[in-house]
Amino acid sequence: METTLCFLTSPDKARFEELDISCLHWLDLGNLEMELLEFQESSIWKNKFYDLRETLEKIEGVTKDSTVSSENEILKVWNSLPNNFKSMKALVIAFLTLFGSSYACEQLFSALNYIKSDTRNRLTDDLSAACVAFKLRKYEPRLDKLSACIQQQKSH
């Protein structure tokens, strides 16, 4: 499975025989193998994924305040592939949505159940959406800066 997940960022290094795609019965394996061979012959696309891996390494080194996410970079590169790599793109979409459809979805519904409870049942759709977006946003207060502005209370 690890080899298959590495396919997301390194299709230029992937070997078709090592991909674990037995659960994807709908995928045309013959077509996928031909696309992968064609892809690996193209220096343009190999360089695009080499650049992607370099970008991902830079993102890992940047602080948490960065607005660039690795997921967006991966999607950007895969979306730039032409349609003659349709099976490869379908495989990547299947693996990217595999995790998104479970964890993130469950997290969203849990947040929505907490926000729109029996006692808060009159929230409008816009307000509910804003509350969910705020709840799911990653926020870490800078306690050191906040505490520096507060005068400490001295005992008598």
Side-chain angles (χ1 to χ4, degrees):
M1 188 63 153
E2 185 178 334
T3 306
T4 308
L5 291 177
C6 286
F7 183 79
L8 296 172
T9 58
S10 304
D12 52 319
K13 298 178 179 180
R15 295 184 58 209
F16 180 78
E17 302 82 30
E18 295 176 358
L19 294 176
D20 181 17
I21 49 178
S22 57
C23 60
L24 303 174
H25 303 289
W26 50 267
L27 192 61
D28 183 2
L29 299 181
N31 198 27
L32 177 66
E33 186 174 15
M34 292 304 293
E35 287 178 15
L36 186 58
L37 289 171
E38 182 183 341
F39 176 86
Q40 291 174 343
E41 290 295 318
S42 170
S43 60
I44 294 171
W45 296 115
K46 288 195 310 190
N47 287 336
K48 205 141 183 69
F49 279 89
Y50 178 79
D51 293 342
L52 170 66
R53 289 189 295 274
E54 281 187 346
T55 303
L56 294 176
E57 286 178 15
K58 289 177 187 174
I59 290 173
E60 282 183 23
V62 177
T63 61
K64 292 180 183 178
D65 296 335
S66 176
T67 57
V68 178
S69 73
S70 56
E71 294 87 3
N72 288 341
E73 292 298 316
I74 293 170
L75 283 173
K76 198 183 306 180
V77 172
W78 277 102
N79 284 333
S80 70
L81 255 65
N83 283 337
N84 54 329
F85 298 116
K86 198 178 287 188
S87 295
M88 287 176 59
K89 289 171 97 173
L91 174 64
V92 168
I93 289 170
F95 278 108
L96 287 175
T97 56
L98 177 72
F99 300 107
S101 62
S102 56
Y103 169 73
C105 192
E106 291 297 324
Q107 186 181 18
L108 173 70
F109 282 119
S110 294
L112 190 58
N113 284 336
Y114 177 75
I115 291 167
K116 202 159 189 172
S117 62
D118 291 338
T119 56
R120 299 172 76 188
N121 59 5
R122 291 187 175 185
L123 290 175
T124 63
D125 289 342
D126 292 338
L127 191 54
S128 295
C131 288
V132 168
F134 186 68
K135 176 84 173 145
L136 295 179
R137 184 156 293 136
K138 293 178 183 175
Y139 173 73
E140 293 181 25
R142 297 182 189 142
L143 296 176
D144 53 340
K145 286 188 176 185
L146 290 171
S147 62
C149 298
I150 299 173
Q151 182 181 358
Q152 295 180 358
Q153 184 177 3
K154 299 187 179 182
S155 61
H156 298 279

